[in-house]
PDB file of all heavy atoms in Angstrom:
ATOM      1  N   LEU A1338      44.642  26.357 -42.859  1.00 75.00           N
ATOM      2  CA  LEU A1338      45.194  27.521 -42.175  1.00 75.00           C
ATOM      3  C   LEU A1338      44.330  27.972 -41.007  1.00 75.00           C
ATOM      4  O   LEU A1338      44.757  28.786 -40.187  1.00 75.00           O
ATOM      5  CB  LEU A1338      45.344  28.689 -43.166  1.00 75.00           C
ATOM      6  CG  LEU A1338      46.246  28.437 -44.386  1.00 75.00           C
ATOM      7  CD1 LEU A1338      46.239  29.647 -45.303  1.00 75.00           C
ATOM      8  CD2 LEU A1338      47.669  28.103 -43.956  1.00 75.00           C
ATOM      9  N   ALA A1339      43.076  27.458 -40.959  1.00 73.00           N
ATOM     10  CA  ALA A1339      42.176  27.854 -39.883  1.00 73.00           C
ATOM     11  C   ALA A1339      42.745  27.409 -38.536  1.00 73.00           C
ATOM     12  O   ALA A1339      43.206  26.278 -38.381  1.00 73.00           O
ATOM     13  CB  ALA A1339      40.795  27.244 -40.108  1.00 73.00           C
ATOM     14  N   LYS A1340      42.703  28.300 -37.568  1.00 74.00           N
ATOM     15  CA  LYS A1340      43.343  28.028 -36.280  1.00 74.00           C
ATOM     16  C   LYS A1340      42.471  27.224 -35.321  1.00 74.00           C
ATOM     17  O   LYS A1340      42.948  26.797 -34.277  1.00 74.00           O
ATOM     18  CB  LYS A1340      43.751  29.352 -35.631  1.00 74.00           C
ATOM     19  CG  LYS A1340      44.823  30.107 -36.421  1.00 74.00           C
ATOM     20  CD  LYS A1340      45.226  31.390 -35.716  1.00 74.00           C
ATOM     21  CE  LYS A1340      46.315  32.118 -36.504  1.00 74.00           C
ATOM     22  NZ  LYS A1340      46.724  33.382 -35.847  1.00 74.00           N
ATOM     23  N   SER A1341      41.222  27.043 -35.647  1.00 79.00           N
ATOM     24  CA  SER A1341      40.345  26.273 -34.766  1.00 79.00           C
ATOM     25  C   SER A1341      39.404  25.433 -35.616  1.00 79.00           C
ATOM     26  O   SER A1341      39.111  25.795 -36.765  1.00 79.00           O
ATOM     27  CB  SER A1341      39.528  27.205 -33.863  1.00 79.00           C
ATOM     28  OG  SER A1341      38.585  27.935 -34.628  1.00 79.00           O
ATOM     29  N   PRO A1342      38.922  24.304 -35.077  1.00 81.00           N
ATOM     30  CA  PRO A1342      37.966  23.475 -35.830  1.00 81.00           C
ATOM     31  C   PRO A1342      36.722  24.252 -36.250  1.00 81.00           C
ATOM     32  O   PRO A1342      36.170  24.012 -37.324  1.00 81.00           O
ATOM     33  CB  PRO A1342      37.634  22.353 -34.839  1.00 81.00           C
ATOM     34  CG  PRO A1342      38.807  22.290 -33.918  1.00 81.00           C
ATOM     35  CD  PRO A1342      39.297  23.694 -33.790  1.00 81.00           C
ATOM     36  N   ARG A1343      36.272  25.175 -35.407  1.00 84.00           N
ATOM     37  CA  ARG A1343      35.064  25.949 -35.728  1.00 84.00           C
ATOM     38  C   ARG A1343      35.306  26.834 -36.951  1.00 84.00           C
ATOM     39  O   ARG A1343      34.458  26.909 -37.855  1.00 84.00           O
ATOM     40  CB  ARG A1343      34.662  26.796 -34.528  1.00 84.00           C
ATOM     41  CG  ARG A1343      33.354  27.566 -34.721  1.00 84.00           C
ATOM     42  CD  ARG A1343      32.917  28.218 -33.409  1.00 84.00           C
ATOM     43  NE  ARG A1343      31.708  29.009 -33.584  1.00 84.00           N
ATOM     44  CZ  ARG A1343      31.698  30.291 -33.938  1.00 84.00           C
ATOM     45  NH1 ARG A1343      32.846  30.911 -34.141  1.00 84.00           N
ATOM     46  NH2 ARG A1343      30.561  30.939 -34.080  1.00 84.00           N
ATOM     47  N   ARG A1344      36.467  27.505 -37.011  1.00 83.00           N
ATOM     48  CA  ARG A1344      36.763  28.346 -38.172  1.00 83.00           C
ATOM     49  C   ARG A1344      36.924  27.498 -39.429  1.00 83.00           C
ATOM     50  O   ARG A1344      36.488  27.891 -40.510  1.00 83.00           O
ATOM     51  CB  ARG A1344      38.031  29.158 -37.910  1.00 83.00           C
ATOM     52  CG  ARG A1344      37.864  30.266 -36.879  1.00 83.00           C
ATOM     53  CD  ARG A1344      39.135  31.085 -36.748  1.00 83.00           C
ATOM     54  NE  ARG A1344      39.017  32.134 -35.755  1.00 83.00           N
ATOM     55  CZ  ARG A1344      39.990  32.960 -35.416  1.00 83.00           C
ATOM     56  NH1 ARG A1344      41.183  32.858 -36.024  1.00 83.00           N
ATOM     57  NH2 ARG A1344      39.802  33.894 -34.495  1.00 83.00           N
ATOM     58  N   ARG A1345      37.561  26.352 -39.260  1.00 85.00           N
ATOM     59  CA  ARG A1345      37.733  25.451 -40.405  1.00 85.00           C
ATOM     60  C   ARG A1345      36.370  25.016 -40.932  1.00 85.00           C
ATOM     61  O   ARG A1345      36.150  24.961 -42.144  1.00 85.00           O
ATOM     62  CB  ARG A1345      38.566  24.244 -39.984  1.00 85.00           C
ATOM     63  CG  ARG A1345      38.763  23.209 -41.087  1.00 85.00           C
ATOM     64  CD  ARG A1345      39.549  22.009 -40.560  1.00 85.00           C
ATOM     65  NE  ARG A1345      39.602  20.932 -41.525  1.00 85.00           N
ATOM     66  CZ  ARG A1345      40.532  20.807 -42.453  1.00 85.00           C
ATOM     67  NH1 ARG A1345      41.507  21.687 -42.516  1.00 85.00           N
ATOM     68  NH2 ARG A1345      40.495  19.790 -43.296  1.00 85.00           N
ATOM     69  N   GLU A1346      35.443  24.743 -40.039  1.00 86.00           N
ATOM     70  CA  GLU A1346      34.116  24.306 -40.443  1.00 86.00           C
ATOM     71  C   GLU A1346      33.380  25.418 -41.179  1.00 86.00           C
ATOM     72  O   GLU A1346      32.668  25.171 -42.157  1.00 86.00           O
ATOM     73  CB  GLU A1346      33.316  23.853 -39.208  1.00 86.00           C
ATOM     74  CG  GLU A1346      32.132  22.959 -39.514  1.00 86.00           C
ATOM     75  CD  GLU A1346      32.531  21.666 -40.197  1.00 86.00           C
ATOM     76  OE1 GLU A1346      33.634  21.141 -39.922  1.00 86.00           O
ATOM     77  OE2 GLU A1346      31.735  21.187 -41.027  1.00 86.00           O
ATOM     78  N   ILE A1347      33.555  26.661 -40.719  1.00 88.00           N
ATOM     79  CA  ILE A1347      32.922  27.791 -41.394  1.00 88.00           C
ATOM     80  C   ILE A1347      33.468  27.944 -42.805  1.00 88.00           C
ATOM     81  O   ILE A1347      32.717  28.164 -43.772  1.00 88.00           O
ATOM     82  CB  ILE A1347      33.137  29.085 -40.579  1.00 88.00           C
ATOM     83  CG1 ILE A1347      32.344  29.022 -39.263  1.00 88.00           C
ATOM     84  CG2 ILE A1347      32.716  30.306 -41.391  1.00 88.00           C
ATOM     85  CD1 ILE A1347      32.634  30.177 -38.322  1.00 88.00           C
ATOM     86  N   VAL A1348      34.794  27.831 -42.943  1.00 88.00           N
ATOM     87  CA  VAL A1348      35.423  27.944 -44.263  1.00 88.00           C
ATOM     88  C   VAL A1348      34.906  26.862 -45.199  1.00 88.00           C
ATOM     89  O   VAL A1348      34.521  27.140 -46.349  1.00 88.00           O
ATOM     90  CB  VAL A1348      36.959  27.863 -44.134  1.00 88.00           C
ATOM     91  CG1 VAL A1348      37.610  27.644 -45.496  1.00 88.00           C
ATOM     92  CG2 VAL A1348      37.505  29.134 -43.492  1.00 88.00           C
ATOM     93  N   ILE A1349      34.871  25.635 -44.730  1.00 88.00           N
ATOM     94  CA  ILE A1349      34.424  24.522 -45.573  1.00 88.00           C
ATOM     95  C   ILE A1349      32.953  24.672 -45.928  1.00 88.00           C
ATOM     96  O   ILE A1349      32.537  24.408 -47.073  1.00 88.00           O
ATOM     97  CB  ILE A1349      34.695  23.183 -44.872  1.00 88.00           C
ATOM     98  CG1 ILE A1349      36.211  22.934 -44.797  1.00 88.00           C
ATOM     99  CG2 ILE A1349      34.006  22.030 -45.600  1.00 88.00           C
ATOM    100  CD1 ILE A1349      36.602  21.699 -44.024  1.00 88.00           C
ATOM    101  N   THR A1350      32.137  25.119 -44.978  1.00 89.00           N
ATOM    102  CA  THR A1350      30.717  25.307 -45.255  1.00 89.00           C
ATOM    103  C   THR A1350      30.508  26.364 -46.335  1.00 89.00           C
ATOM    104  O   THR A1350      29.708  26.172 -47.265  1.00 89.00           O
ATOM    105  CB  THR A1350      29.965  25.719 -43.970  1.00 89.00           C
ATOM    106  OG1 THR A1350      30.110  24.682 -42.999  1.00 89.00           O
ATOM    107  CG2 THR A1350      28.486  25.942 -44.258  1.00 89.00           C
ATOM    108  N   LEU A1351      31.223  27.493 -46.239  1.00 88.00           N
ATOM    109  CA  LEU A1351      31.131  28.518 -47.274  1.00 88.00           C
ATOM    110  C   LEU A1351      31.563  27.974 -48.629  1.00 88.00           C
ATOM    111  O   LEU A1351      30.926  28.239 -49.657  1.00 88.00           O
ATOM    112  CB  LEU A1351      31.999  29.720 -46.900  1.00 88.00           C
ATOM    113  CG  LEU A1351      31.407  30.745 -45.934  1.00 88.00           C
ATOM    114  CD1 LEU A1351      32.456  31.780 -45.554  1.00 88.00           C
ATOM    115  CD2 LEU A1351      30.194  31.428 -46.553  1.00 88.00           C
ATOM    116  N   GLY A1352      32.654  27.214 -48.639  1.00 88.00           N
ATOM    117  CA  GLY A1352      33.143  26.644 -49.891  1.00 88.00           C
ATOM    118  C   GLY A1352      32.165  25.669 -50.504  1.00 88.00           C
ATOM    119  O   GLY A1352      31.930  25.675 -51.725  1.00 88.00           O
ATOM    120  N   LEU A1353      31.557  24.824 -49.682  1.00 89.00           N
ATOM    121  CA  LEU A1353      30.591  23.848 -50.189  1.00 89.00           C
ATOM    122  C   LEU A1353      29.347  24.538 -50.724  1.00 89.00           C
ATOM    123  O   LEU A1353      28.800  24.140 -51.766  1.00 89.00           O
ATOM    124  CB  LEU A1353      30.218  22.849 -49.100  1.00 89.00           C
ATOM    125  CG  LEU A1353      31.299  21.843 -48.695  1.00 89.00           C
ATOM    126  CD1 LEU A1353      30.744  20.846 -47.688  1.00 89.00           C
ATOM    127  CD2 LEU A1353      31.839  21.102 -49.907  1.00 89.00           C
ATOM    128  N   PHE A1354      28.874  25.564 -50.008  1.00 88.00           N
ATOM    129  CA  PHE A1354      27.716  26.309 -50.497  1.00 88.00           C
ATOM    130  C   PHE A1354      28.039  26.976 -51.833  1.00 88.00           C
ATOM    131  O   PHE A1354      27.236  26.949 -52.777  1.00 88.00           O
ATOM    132  CB  PHE A1354      27.277  27.360 -49.481  1.00 88.00           C
ATOM    133  CG  PHE A1354      26.170  26.893 -48.573  1.00 88.00           C
ATOM    134  CD1 PHE A1354      26.363  26.835 -47.203  1.00 88.00           C
ATOM    135  CD2 PHE A1354      24.944  26.503 -49.087  1.00 88.00           C
ATOM    136  CE1 PHE A1354      25.348  26.398 -46.360  1.00 88.00           C
ATOM    137  CE2 PHE A1354      23.925  26.058 -48.253  1.00 88.00           C
ATOM    138  CZ  PHE A1354      24.128  26.011 -46.887  1.00 88.00           C
ATOM    139  N   GLY A1355      29.220  27.590 -51.927  1.00 87.00           N
ATOM    140  CA  GLY A1355      29.608  28.229 -53.182  1.00 87.00           C
ATOM    141  C   GLY A1355      29.674  27.243 -54.324  1.00 87.00           C
ATOM    142  O   GLY A1355      29.198  27.522 -55.435  1.00 87.00           O
ATOM    143  N   ALA A1356      30.253  26.055 -54.081  1.00 87.00           N
ATOM    144  CA  ALA A1356      30.332  25.029 -55.115  1.00 87.00           C
ATOM    145  C   ALA A1356      28.941  24.549 -55.507  1.00 87.00           C
ATOM    146  O   ALA A1356      28.646  24.323 -56.693  1.00 87.00           O
ATOM    147  CB  ALA A1356      31.181  23.856 -54.622  1.00 87.00           C
ATOM    148  N   ALA A1357      28.048  24.377 -54.532  1.00 89.00           N
ATOM    149  CA  ALA A1357      26.684  23.926 -54.816  1.00 89.00           C
ATOM    150  C   ALA A1357      25.960  24.927 -55.706  1.00 89.00           C
ATOM    151  O   ALA A1357      25.237  24.549 -56.644  1.00 89.00           O
ATOM    152  CB  ALA A1357      25.920  23.719 -53.506  1.00 89.00           C
ATOM    153  N   PHE A1358      26.157  26.221 -55.453  1.00 87.00           N
ATOM    154  CA  PHE A1358      25.507  27.232 -56.290  1.00 87.00           C
ATOM    155  C   PHE A1358      26.111  27.275 -57.687  1.00 87.00           C
ATOM    156  O   PHE A1358      25.416  27.618 -58.652  1.00 87.00           O
ATOM    157  CB  PHE A1358      25.591  28.601 -55.613  1.00 87.00           C
ATOM    158  CG  PHE A1358      24.622  28.761 -54.475  1.00 87.00           C
ATOM    159  CD1 PHE A1358      25.071  28.991 -53.184  1.00 87.00           C
ATOM    160  CD2 PHE A1358      23.257  28.654 -54.685  1.00 87.00           C
ATOM    161  CE1 PHE A1358      24.178  29.127 -52.132  1.00 87.00           C
ATOM    162  CE2 PHE A1358      22.352  28.788 -53.636  1.00 87.00           C
ATOM    163  CZ  PHE A1358      22.815  29.025 -52.356  1.00 87.00           C
ATOM    164  N   LEU A1359      27.394  26.926 -57.822  1.00 85.00           N
ATOM    165  CA  LEU A1359      27.988  26.845 -59.160  1.00 85.00           C
ATOM    166  C   LEU A1359      27.324  25.749 -59.988  1.00 85.00           C
ATOM    167  O   LEU A1359      27.107  25.898 -61.189  1.00 85.00           O
ATOM    168  CB  LEU A1359      29.489  26.600 -59.065  1.00 85.00           C
ATOM    169  CG  LEU A1359      30.369  27.813 -58.744  1.00 85.00           C
ATOM    170  CD1 LEU A1359      31.825  27.393 -58.627  1.00 85.00           C
ATOM    171  CD2 LEU A1359      30.222  28.878 -59.818  1.00 85.00           C
ATOM    172  N   TYR A1360      27.014  24.616 -59.352  1.00 87.00           N
ATOM    173  CA  TYR A1360      26.291  23.556 -60.065  1.00 87.00           C
ATOM    174  C   TYR A1360      24.934  24.069 -60.538  1.00 87.00           C
ATOM    175  O   TYR A1360      24.504  23.795 -61.667  1.00 87.00           O
ATOM    176  CB  TYR A1360      26.083  22.348 -59.155  1.00 87.00           C
ATOM    177  CG  TYR A1360      27.280  21.449 -59.026  1.00 87.00           C
ATOM    178  CD1 TYR A1360      27.977  21.353 -57.830  1.00 87.00           C
ATOM    179  CD2 TYR A1360      27.708  20.667 -60.096  1.00 87.00           C
ATOM    180  CE1 TYR A1360      29.072  20.514 -57.699  1.00 87.00           C
ATOM    181  CE2 TYR A1360      28.804  19.828 -59.975  1.00 87.00           C
ATOM    182  CZ  TYR A1360      29.480  19.754 -58.768  1.00 87.00           C
ATOM    183  OH  TYR A1360      30.570  18.922 -58.651  1.00 87.00           O
ATOM    184  N   ALA A1361      24.222  24.780 -59.664  1.00 85.00           N
ATOM    185  CA  ALA A1361      22.912  25.307 -60.037  1.00 85.00           C
ATOM    186  C   ALA A1361      23.037  26.272 -61.210  1.00 85.00           C
ATOM    187  O   ALA A1361      22.215  26.259 -62.145  1.00 85.00           O
ATOM    188  CB  ALA A1361      22.275  25.997 -58.833  1.00 85.00           C
ATOM    189  N   ASP A1362      24.076  27.104 -61.188  1.00 81.00           N
ATOM    190  CA  ASP A1362      24.325  28.013 -62.299  1.00 81.00           C
ATOM    191  C   ASP A1362      24.606  27.227 -63.579  1.00 81.00           C
ATOM    192  O   ASP A1362      24.164  27.615 -64.666  1.00 81.00           O
ATOM    193  CB  ASP A1362      25.520  28.912 -61.967  1.00 81.00           C
ATOM    194  CG  ASP A1362      25.927  29.788 -63.136  1.00 81.00           C
ATOM    195  OD1 ASP A1362      25.153  30.670 -63.515  1.00 81.00           O
ATOM    196  OD2 ASP A1362      27.034  29.573 -63.684  1.00 81.00           O
ATOM    197  N   GLY A1363      25.307  26.096 -63.440  1.00 81.00           N
ATOM    198  CA  GLY A1363      25.616  25.266 -64.604  1.00 81.00           C
ATOM    199  C   GLY A1363      24.394  24.661 -65.250  1.00 81.00           C
ATOM    200  O   GLY A1363      24.433  24.266 -66.421  1.00 81.00           O
ATOM    201  N   MET A1364      23.298  24.571 -64.512  1.00 88.00           N
ATOM    202  CA  MET A1364      22.053  24.064 -65.089  1.00 88.00           C
ATOM    203  C   MET A1364      21.332  25.144 -65.900  1.00 88.00           C
ATOM    204  O   MET A1364      20.699  24.854 -66.915  1.00 88.00           O
ATOM    205  CB  MET A1364      21.133  23.554 -63.978  1.00 88.00           C
ATOM    206  CG  MET A1364      21.694  22.385 -63.194  1.00 88.00           C
ATOM    207  SD  MET A1364      20.652  21.980 -61.776  1.00 88.00           S
ATOM    208  CE  MET A1364      21.631  20.657 -61.015  1.00 88.00           C
ATOM    209  N   ILE A1365      21.423  26.394 -65.447  1.00 88.00           N
ATOM    210  CA  ILE A1365      20.670  27.471 -66.084  1.00 88.00           C
ATOM    211  C   ILE A1365      21.401  28.048 -67.291  1.00 88.00           C
ATOM    212  O   ILE A1365      20.777  28.395 -68.302  1.00 88.00           O
ATOM    213  CB  ILE A1365      20.373  28.579 -65.059  1.00 88.00           C
ATOM    214  CG1 ILE A1365      19.552  28.015 -63.899  1.00 88.00           C
ATOM    215  CG2 ILE A1365      19.617  29.724 -65.700  1.00 88.00           C
ATOM    216  CD1 ILE A1365      19.256  29.018 -62.808  1.00 88.00           C
ATOM    217  N   THR A1366      22.726  28.160 -67.206  1.00 87.00           N
ATOM    218  CA  THR A1366      23.488  28.816 -68.278  1.00 87.00           C
ATOM    219  C   THR A1366      23.254  28.200 -69.653  1.00 87.00           C
ATOM    220  O   THR A1366      22.984  28.942 -70.615  1.00 87.00           O
ATOM    221  CB  THR A1366      24.990  28.825 -67.941  1.00 87.00           C
ATOM    222  OG1 THR A1366      25.195  29.605 -66.766  1.00 87.00           O
ATOM    223  CG2 THR A1366      25.808  29.414 -69.082  1.00 87.00           C
ATOM    224  N   PRO A1367      23.349  26.866 -69.831  1.00 91.00           N
ATOM    225  CA  PRO A1367      23.072  26.324 -71.173  1.00 91.00           C
ATOM    226  C   PRO A1367      21.659  26.637 -71.648  1.00 91.00           C
ATOM    227  O   PRO A1367      21.446  26.939 -72.830  1.00 91.00           O
ATOM    228  CB  PRO A1367      23.288  24.813 -70.990  1.00 91.00           C
ATOM    229  CG  PRO A1367      24.164  24.684 -69.798  1.00 91.00           C
ATOM    230  CD  PRO A1367      23.765  25.804 -68.895  1.00 91.00           C
ATOM    231  N   ALA A1368      20.692  26.574 -70.736  1.00 91.00           N
ATOM    232  CA  ALA A1368      19.305  26.811 -71.130  1.00 91.00           C
ATOM    233  C   ALA A1368      19.091  28.242 -71.604  1.00 91.00           C
ATOM    234  O   ALA A1368      18.541  28.489 -72.689  1.00 91.00           O
ATOM    235  CB  ALA A1368      18.373  26.491 -69.959  1.00 91.00           C
ATOM    236  N   ILE A1369      19.541  29.225 -70.823  1.00 89.00           N
ATOM    237  CA  ILE A1369      19.285  30.623 -71.182  1.00 89.00           C
ATOM    238  C   ILE A1369      20.134  31.063 -72.369  1.00 89.00           C
ATOM    239  O   ILE A1369      19.682  31.847 -73.219  1.00 89.00           O
ATOM    240  CB  ILE A1369      19.500  31.549 -69.958  1.00 89.00           C
ATOM    241  CG1 ILE A1369      18.922  32.934 -70.233  1.00 89.00           C
ATOM    242  CG2 ILE A1369      20.967  31.633 -69.577  1.00 89.00           C
ATOM    243  CD1 ILE A1369      18.919  33.842 -69.015  1.00 89.00           C
ATOM    244  N   SER A1370      21.361  30.555 -72.488  1.00 89.00           N
ATOM    245  CA  SER A1370      22.242  30.957 -73.588  1.00 89.00           C
ATOM    246  C   SER A1370      21.706  30.457 -74.928  1.00 89.00           C
ATOM    247  O   SER A1370      21.583  31.220 -75.892  1.00 89.00           O
ATOM    248  CB  SER A1370      23.664  30.438 -73.349  1.00 89.00           C
ATOM    249  OG  SER A1370      24.210  30.971 -72.176  1.00 89.00           O
TER     250      SER A1370
END
């Protein structure tokens, strides 16, 4: 839906960062729980 390549890149970058942090959370949750 992004109207320009730059906006699309920003959206994808945010999504990739969010997914990467979910993996990091997945490492800590079993340990602390």
